[in-house]
Amino acid sequence: MSNEATKTPAKQGKLSKPFIWFHATSVNGGAMAIAATIASYFSLYVQETIGITAAQLSVILLICTLWDAINDPIMGVICDTVKPRWGRYRTWFTFTPIFLLVDMFLLFSNPGFIQGSPMKKCIYVCITYMFYGMIVTAYTMPQMAILPAMTLDDEERNDVVAKGAGVCALMFTIASTFSTQLVEIFGSYRNLMCFYAVFAIISFWGLYKTSEERYVMPKEKGEGGLKQLVYVFRHKEIWPVMVVWCLAAVSYGFMFTSSVYYAQYILAGQRVDFATMDEAAIGATIGGTISTYMGFISMGALISMVVLMPIFLKKFKTGYKAMIISQILTIICYVILYFTGRMNFMYCCILSFVATAVGSMVNALVNVLVNDTIDFIMLKEGKQLNGIISSVKGFAQKCGNTITNSGMLAILAICGFDAQLGPFGQSQTAVTGTNMVRFLVPALVSAAILVIMIFYPLKKYFPEIAEMKKKIAAEHEANGAE
């Protein structure tokens, strides 16, 4: 093993507190607040503010997320092939968050030159949203790859993943629940998103400063380019894991994106009394319904990441076992809610909270599977492909995002949903479709994840992987002592 980023021998098994903090708050801090806002409110923002229809936005998101998925492996190849002066992975932390700030300014603008032209509006949103996806890829892949390059200890890795999940849940709680109020404070979505981006810049720069590439194997001559993907895809054990990465993104994405629609177009309608409420009271009821329901969802995610996920990992030791239990509980809650969620508002909020508390951790537990896969490929191929594997995970996740974004909007469009008709003008089929994308689709996705995790293909290699990591650690310590 060699250290490309520094000549100073690193102490094995000890991650600094600043590194853990900045790793947790980089992708999962300000950048995650942006992602949460986009996941929960962007589609409605674009339809209501810029004037793009659900069908048009469905096509835009399909194009952007497909390209986003395709460029992930390209980014992984670059990370594992190019050797910048400041580190194979660390270098990307210096400039990508600056691009994020610029794109947030553009993405949440409604410039005059696109007014009056549906085509210009679609092109503008498509370009700025596509760049957002590329920027996220450029900082997410290295951030995932740096952790296994810093430590070989599974407990340390799981601890960092769990802390990052906690920060992720906190930022999701803030962004999903209080975005309406925060927009009023900051004056616009654009100002709020730029504020989040500044926070991301600080965190990524801190991660660059506190990280080292301790366990980075030198590359053999002629070993570069997309052919490195062969080392991953030729193992049949990896394919089911990729499917789980994809489905986890679908599950998590539907959980939040569909919640806003469900609250506004189903729950709010049940709480409005046209006979006694004026227009202002109706608006306040709709806004209060969305905030209350999203508050329960966000708090469920916070409890899931901060409290339940560390307990699950400690109790069940491995990520795949924790996922099995969480998905069983999630399926039960969603099936009940699909049939009974509209019976009572508070009942729906409480059971949705429980469903989110047991289900949200899937989005973080898949990162444990990334570390399992990195170790598996090192065992089978003798090659370190942190960036490649992280990018394959990103590719699968973006495929899931494509299904979430375009799939949900497509289902709603087929069912006759039209945002311009408001919460009280939707047809019965549109209401049925909204209920379906909120609960039935995620339940089916969780069922598929459960089946794959029961037969998790990497678990039989765990003893061999443990022996391999002992040898690597011993070699690293011997080289450091020389």
Side-chain angles (χ1 to χ4, degrees):
M1 310 289 290
S2 68
N3 188 337
E4 296 178 357
T6 177
K7 298 293 184 180
T8 304
K11 186 177 181 181
Q12 157 66 9
K14 295 295 181 182
L15 298 177
S16 69
K17 290 183 179 180
F19 168 79
I20 296 174
W21 166 253
F22 286 120
H23 192 278
T25 59
S26 52
V27 169
N28 295 308
M32 185 54 64
I34 290 173
T37 305
I38 290 176
S40 299
Y41 297 98
F42 181 69
S43 64
L44 284 177
Y45 166 83
V46 170
Q47 293 176 71
E48 295 175 354
T49 303
I50 298 182
I52 291 177
T53 67
Q56 290 171 333
L57 184 58
S58 176
V59 174
I60 291 171
L61 295 181
L62 176 63
I63 295 171
C64 292
T65 49
L66 278 178
W67 166 243
D68 198 18
I70 292 170
N71 69 52
D72 271 45
I74 299 174
M75 182 63 196
V77 169
I78 293 174
C79 277
D80 278 336
T81 304
V82 178
K83 300 179 180 179
R85 176 183 176 184
W86 296 327
R88 186 182 296 177
Y89 310 122
R90 297 170 67 242
T91 299
W92 299 91
F93 306 147
T94 60
F95 61 90
T96 52
I98 298 176
F99 291 165
L100 179 66
L101 173 61
V102 174
D103 192 65
M104 285 305 99
F105 181 87
L106 297 175
L107 183 61
F108 283 87
S109 294
N110 188 18
F113 68 86
I114 67 172
Q115 304 306 314
S117 172
M119 179 63 69
K120 289 181 179 179
K121 291 180 179 180
C122 290
I123 292 175
Y124 181 83
V125 172
C126 185
I127 292 175
T128 53
Y129 190 80
M130 183 177 293
F131 273 107
Y132 168 66
M134 294 173 67
I135 294 164
V136 171
T137 298
Y139 61 64
T140 301
M141 299 303 102
Q143 191 261 5
M144 285 192 293
I146 196 66
L147 179 57
M150 283 283 289
T151 179
L152 300 174
D153 187 89
D154 286 336
E155 290 188 5
E156 281 196 314
R157 291 178 179 180
N158 291 347
D159 180 60
V160 174
V161 170
K163 285 183 170 60
V167 175
C168 171
L170 177 61
M171 300 311 293
F172 245 100
T173 299
I174 294 172
S176 298
T177 307
F178 304 110
S179 281
T180 303
Q181 293 87 342
L182 289 171
V183 167
E184 292 181 1
I185 294 172
F186 282 85
S188 67
Y189 271 104
R190 182 175 64 187
N191 293 344
L192 176 61
M193 300 298 265
C194 288
F195 171 78
Y196 289 150
V198 171
F199 179 23
I201 291 173
I202 295 172
S203 296
F204 274 106
W205 285 359
L207 181 59
Y208 166 79
K209 185 68 175 179
T210 58
S211 62
E212 303 173 57
E213 296 179 4
R214 300 174 180 176
Y215 304 101
V216 179
M217 298 177 67
K219 294 297 177 185
E220 300 174 6
K221 290 185 177 180
E223 187 185 81
L226 291 174
K227 65 182 181 182
Q228 293 181 96
L229 291 169
V230 174
Y231 300 131
V232 177
F233 287 110
R234 68 184 176 189
H235 293 282
K236 65 180 183 301
E237 295 88 349
I238 303 300
W239 290 89
V241 182
M242 288 182 58
V243 174
V244 172
W245 290 336
C246 175
L247 294 178
V250 176
S251 176
Y252 197 72
F254 267 85
M255 184 182 301
F256 282 93
T257 305
S258 63
S259 292
V260 177
Y261 285 84
Y262 186 79
Q264 181 167 339
Y265 293 95
I266 291 182
L267 296 179
Q270 299 174 349
R271 304 183 71 202
V272 170
D273 186 350
F274 290 100
T276 60
M277 293 182 179
D278 57 19
E279 185 174 343
I282 292 174
T285 300
I286 295 173
T289 301
I290 296 173
S291 295
T292 301
Y293 188 68
M294 292 306 296
F296 275 92
I297 298 297
S298 300
M299 286 304 299
L302 183 63
I303 295 298
S304 180
M305 303 295 192
V306 176
V307 179
L308 293 183
M309 179 178 160
I311 293 175
F312 274 45
L313 284 174
K314 184 175 182 179
K315 175 68 175 178
F316 303 110
K317 306 300 182 184
T318 59
Y320 83 91
K321 288 182 179 179
M323 289 183 69
I324 288 174
I325 303 302
S326 72
Q327 294 309 290
I328 290 174
L329 297 174
T330 302
I331 293 168
I332 294 172
C333 291
Y334 277 152
V335 171
I336 295 174
L337 281 164
Y338 176 70
F339 291 104
T340 66
R342 288 178 283 179
M343 292 173 53
N344 179 272
F345 175 67
M346 191 52 60
Y347 160 80
C348 183
C349 288
I350 293 173
L351 192 53
S352 294
F353 166 83
V354 175
T356 308
V358 295
S360 290
M361 68 179 77
V362 68
N363 199 47
L365 288 173
V366 290
N367 292 327
V368 178
L369 306 188
V370 172
N371 294 328
D372 290 347
T373 307
I374 289 172
D375 293 337
F376 171 77
I377 293 299
M378 189 177 294
L379 174 69
K380 289 296 184 179
E381 299 288 350
K383 302 179 186 298
Q384 187 178 42
L385 300 177
N386 298 28
I388 294 290
I389 293 169
S390 296
S391 71
V392 171
K393 187 262 184 179
F395 169 79
Q397 182 178 12
K398 301 300 173 54
C399 289
N401 292 341
T402 301
I403 296 172
T404 300
N405 296 330
S406 297
M408 192 190 77
L409 290 171
I411 292 172
L412 292 176
I414 292 172
C415 292
F417 175 83
D418 186 349
Q420 300 298 319
L421 297 178
F424 312 110
Q426 304 300 322
S427 65
Q428 184 57 47
T429 56
V431 172
T432 300
T434 303
N435 188 45
M436 183 171 64
V437 297
R438 176 63 189 99
F439 297 122
L440 182 59
V441 173
L444 294 174
V445 172
S446 292
I449 294 174
L450 174 62
V451 171
I452 296 174
M453 285 295 96
I454 290 175
F455 301 99
Y456 187 48
L458 301 186
K459 61 183 177 182
K460 64 182 179 181
Y461 299 98
F462 284 172
E464 296 177 67
I465 289 172
E467 289 299 319
M468 175 196 69
K469 289 197 288 189
K470 288 181 181 178
K471 294 179 181 179
I472 293 174
E475 179 185 343
H476 180 80
E477 290 180 0
N479 291 338
E482 294 176 357

